[in-house]
Amino acid sequence: MVQDEQELKNFVHAYLDDEERHILLVAGSGFDPRTTNFPKLLASCSKATIDARFIVERRPTPDPDLVSKSESLRADLVGFFPEAKFDDIEIFSSEGEPTVVAGRRTAALLGKLDRSSKTDIIIDISALSTGVFFPLVRGLLQSSRPNQNVHLVLSQHSDLDAMIVRKTHQAASIAHGFRATSDFGNSARKVKLWIPQLMRNQSTSLERLFTMYEYDDVCPAVPLRALAPRQPEELVFEFNDLFRDWTGTSSVEFDFRNLLFVSEDDPLDTYRTISDLHQLRLRTFEHLNGASTILSPTGTKVVTVGMLMAAIEYNLEVVYLESVGYQLSEKFHTQALAPWALKHVWLAGEAYS
Amino acid sequence: MAFNPFQKRATEHLREDTAYLGVVSPKPIRHFLLQGKDHGILYDRLVTILGTPGSGKTTMARLFEFRIVFELLSHANQRSYRPLIQLLADSGAIEDLAPKILGARLALESDYRDIWELPYSSVEKSGLLFSFVQSRSVLTWLRMLEDADISLSDVKIVAQDPGSAAAQSIGGVEAASVQSKARDVESCVYEIVASLAPPPFGSLSELVTQAYKPFDVIEAVEIPWRSAGSLDRIQLQPLVMFDDAHCLHPKQFESLKNWMSKRELRIARWFMSRLDVLKPQESLDSRFLGTNSAGVELPGVTEDRDEAIIRFQGHGESRLDQRKKFRYAARDITKRALNQIAMFSEKGMVDLPIMLEEAVREVGITASAYSDLKRKTETLRRKKVIADRRLEEFRGLAKEFLEKKGTNALDIEEAMIQIMAHRYANRTPQQELWDDDDPEPSKPIRADNDVYEGARTHLHLAYGRPLYYGFDTLCDAASQNTELFLRLADVFVESLEFKLARKKDPGLTPEDQDKKLRIRSKEIIKNWAYPDHDLVRKLCEGIGHRCMKRSAEENAPLGPGANAYGILQEEYDQLQSDDSRGLARALHFGIAYNAFAGLPNYECKKKKWFLLELGGCSIISHGLTFLRGGFVEGSLSELEGFISTK
């Protein structure tokens, strides 16, 4: 079940704000201006009991401007939830070659979250990165009781996503908890499909992700947005050289018919598109060596959530490039931002019982 | 679209063995691996192979994979395969057209490093790592045989003691059961690594908690082999090549390496790693940084009873010889790569050097720039009060030198005169103190190669005269790194392909080459993406600017100019090795990723220096010379300043 902002506001006030509701909010505390968006809404509840846990992602040598932005937003969060706890998560291990440990550190945090008495667990991924919220959502879903509600919320803003410039790690990582089963040493290998998400200024990241495996097919997910009808064309134009390069240096024969057009407003569209494709390929290659689908969420969060849902349901592998650091582009300081939109995905619980 | 080997260093991603064999060149492998040594050391002890990314370690390892060896031997009559077969024979991997080793490459990527993050003790984690590495090695060896259509029912494992418990623990001596056991162990460890929340160690399966030591048990692998019409059985020595060993946690690396150093092991084992596996204090240590200018050379292959270390780049011979050998190998690599592109091979145009023109026009700069240059000579004459006769003498010297060089470049002639005039002015007393209107300089002024190269650098920096053209320059720009060479050559190949497609003469003028190389170099630097690359970039920027300023000095005191930064060796030795976030790390990664080279104990002006020589791309992007020897003097504190700039 997916709700837009107005429906979510109604839901918070009509459903969550009840004396019988015991809510665990897990969210990010960072520099992203969306950090406080949902916590502020939830803090307006006067009847429900709310435990708030905020994850602070720690990366080496952060931009001082972003650190001060984070501190200011953190003060706001404390204002909303004076009893809130903040947990630091190291994204990289500094021992030897920098290695991504975000997922494992997040999984370790799961054990410290008291969920037993909660009726609702809400994960706000607006200010969390892929390497953290993928294992977080999977872990919370796996350990949830029957009828315990698990909600995912996010503040969607494609323009803001594009203004946050990521410096990415040089090596691709597998999201913790999202590895495929091993077929090491098997001569009969599965046919591999890779579905990366296209996003502006991410061609270098995609190029690096491509070298992770020997893929047989690539079907990039191209987000469609009602307010930006030319976006798909611009993306395809930007990535055209890369597509050509893949065809030139590997056995992948890229064809523009491989593009998967997915809605940037509805995570279920991405989820359904990937589900259909994966199931079709499982049937097609059933009597050969089987098929596997690998996802790479590298763009806006609504599409990423669709990928997350498909990955959890079908145990798909997720490869991504961790961010070493962030910077805000010039546009962030000069361009007025349109308001962002909240989304709510009800992942498990009473709605499905 | 057809495969283009220039667009990416693609050998790791070439799934088809025949495609790989079409592009791999035996020359650099022979150069690095054998180096005139007995090939025996490759298989009887631990071999550590160190090199920068893209130096060709994986390309080399792939040649020793059994599947590739088998492919070569199956088509031994094919002419293009003969140099590779000869190389394998010289390195002891084959004998009489039969394989001697069973090579398998294992990339030690994140799966292995993740074991270190499990919530177990160091000993438990090492045990899991060893089981994982061994099971995957066994699976890869057997898969190599299956890929070569050798049925596992015909394969026997030769064990030290076939009846022992140790042999039974690996699945016995039948290949199928050994494979089955290895698969069980591998799956079990993998599941632990993959699980969101790892189970307590006490609840793990016996598969991973009990002894599993195929490396200790296996002596050889016996397979059927058909030669000269008869079917024989031959024994192969297993070889495991650990690629990207730097990905391991330092403690994992150390423990795995210590174990692999055991002399009792019968299997051959190679450890391949980037330099960054060394700790900063090791990688910056003079012992690891190659030859020095005084000709005191460190061996290319360091060997002792337990370990042989082979370094790709920077060791074992004079640096001039390294450049020459790389140019030789690069020609072969280019030829093979162009042969893979139909547009070139169909027209027989596979010799890149002859397509890169080296003759610059009589005046290699614009007409207005040339007029400006001439005006400067006149201004110089007036300001420094140099007699016309003296200037004419310099002109005569420059002309004579250029004639001998076989060129009549008028702009270079003018720039040489200016350098000589500045040197003259520096070597004569102030004019107003003496009556003589044409005093003799304290030291004679010559038009030599220093002045000539200085003039070329000056013209490039001031007027953009082409400096980077010709095949040798392309090779030098690559800093003896094959991947970088291909990425730089790609800009030329792309243009030449376009010209061929339009039925134009394939050839690139020096102006074209210079412009394309400058653009590509900047792109490459911009796309650096390794640990602390932003700090390394700042270091290169700071050093580059200092070198540029020095190179542009009017009397060209360093001749062609500077491309390196010198710190007194004693000051460099004080560099805090535990400076894990600052300069030491930036230097460590800069050297490991070829952004610059570290040259310790360089003797100059009766002092010892540590030189940081900029890599090819930084040299080009700052308009500096490739000729070595010129450096700017600096200090650690200045380097600290470079990296702390915003």
Side-chain angles (χ1 to χ4, degrees), chain B residues 72-238:
Chain B
L72 284 168
L73 292 174
S74 304
H75 302 88
N77 292 330
Q78 202 166 311
R79 211 174 142 194
S80 62
Y81 285 178
R82 282 182 201 158
L84 293 169
I85 291 174
Q86 189 57 49
L87 170 65
L88 287 175
D90 292 345
S91 52
I94 60 174
E95 192 176 272
D96 298 332
L97 293 182
K100 293 267 291 171
I101 60 154
L102 173 57
R105 187 174 65 88
L106 216 60
L108 297 180
E109 78 295 352
S110 62
D111 286 354
Y112 305 89
R113 171 64 173 79
D114 275 358
I115 291 176
W116 188 256
E117 296 300 320
L118 295 171
Y120 308 140
S121 71
S122 298
V123 175
E124 290 161 349
K125 287 189 282 197
S126 290
L128 287 177
L129 175 69
F130 294 171
S131 294
F132 206 35
V133 159
Q134 291 182 96
S135 60
R136 285 195 160 183
S137 301
V138 169
L139 288 173
T140 313
W141 285 326
L142 297 178
R143 186 185 160 183
M144 290 283 152
L145 295 175
E146 286 181 310
D147 287 350
D149 283 334
I150 296 169
S151 167
L152 290 193
S153 59
D154 294 329
V155 176
K156 285 270 182 297
I157 303 298
V158 180
Q160 283 190 4
D161 182 1
S164 67
Q168 295 311 307
S169 74
I170 69 160
V173 292
E174 298 299 327
S177 60
V178 170
Q179 185 188 49
S180 170
K181 180 67 188 271
R183 190 158 284 152
D184 291 345
V185 173
E186 194 274 339
S187 301
C188 195
V189 182
Y190 182 86
E191 275 172 29
I192 299 165
V193 174
S195 62
L196 195 62
F201 192 81
S203 67
L204 297 185
S205 158
E206 287 183 348
L207 276 170
V208 292
T209 52
Q210 291 195 342
Y212 174 74
K213 296 179 177 171
F215 283 7
D216 288 345
V217 174
I218 298 173
E219 287 204 323
V221 177
E222 190 179 289
I223 64 163
W225 186 257
R226 187 174 290 281
S227 61
S230 66
L231 189 64
D232 301 323
R233 290 192 71 79
I234 59 170
Q235 287 195 357
L236 306 177
Q237 183 188 12

Side-chain angles (χ1 to χ4, degrees), chain B residues 9-50:
Chain B
R9 183 76 181 135
T11 49
E12 283 173 64
H13 310 296
L14 284 177
R15 196 182 303 171
E16 295 300 322
D17 295 339
T18 46
Y20 162 78
L21 289 169
V23 296
V24 67
S25 165
K27 290 196 166 82
I29 301 177
R30 177 180 291 281
H31 169 56
F32 288 122
L33 198 62
L34 297 180
Q35 300 185 21
K37 297 274 173 178
D38 171 21
H39 62 63
I41 61 162
L42 298 175
Y43 311 112
D44 68 354
R45 69 200 76 181
L46 171 65
V47 177
T48 301
I49 298 167
L50 299 171

Side-chain angles (χ1 to χ4, degrees), chain A residues 24-32 35 39 52-59 70 74 77 84-91 102-103 105-110 112-113 122-137 140:
Chain A
L24 170 66
L25 169 68
V26 187
S29 168
F31 65 89
D32 193 313
T35 297
R53 292 291 284 251
F54 293 103
I55 293 173
V56 186
E57 298 185 9
R58 296 286 181 200
R59 291 182 169 77
S70 306
R74 181 173 172 147
L77 292 174
K85 286 184 182 160
F86 291 79
D87 299 283
D88 285 359
I89 295 278
E90 293 294 335
I91 303 300
R105 301 283 194 269
T106 307
L109 175 69
L110 283 169
K112 297 179 194 162
L113 298 177
I122 306 176
I123 312 149
D124 177 9
I125 64 164
S126 306
L128 292 174
S129 63
T130 303
V132 171
F133 77 77
F134 266 61
L136 181 69
V137 173
L140 289 172

Side-chain angles (χ1 to χ4, degrees), chain A residues 97 104-105 170 179-180 186, chain B residues 111 114 190 193 274 529:
Chain A
E97 176 98 346
R104 288 191 181 276
R105 301 283 194 269
Q170 81 271 24
R179 282 171 192 267
N186 284 349
Chain B
D111 286 354
D114 275 358
Y190 182 86
V193 174
R274 298 200 298 248

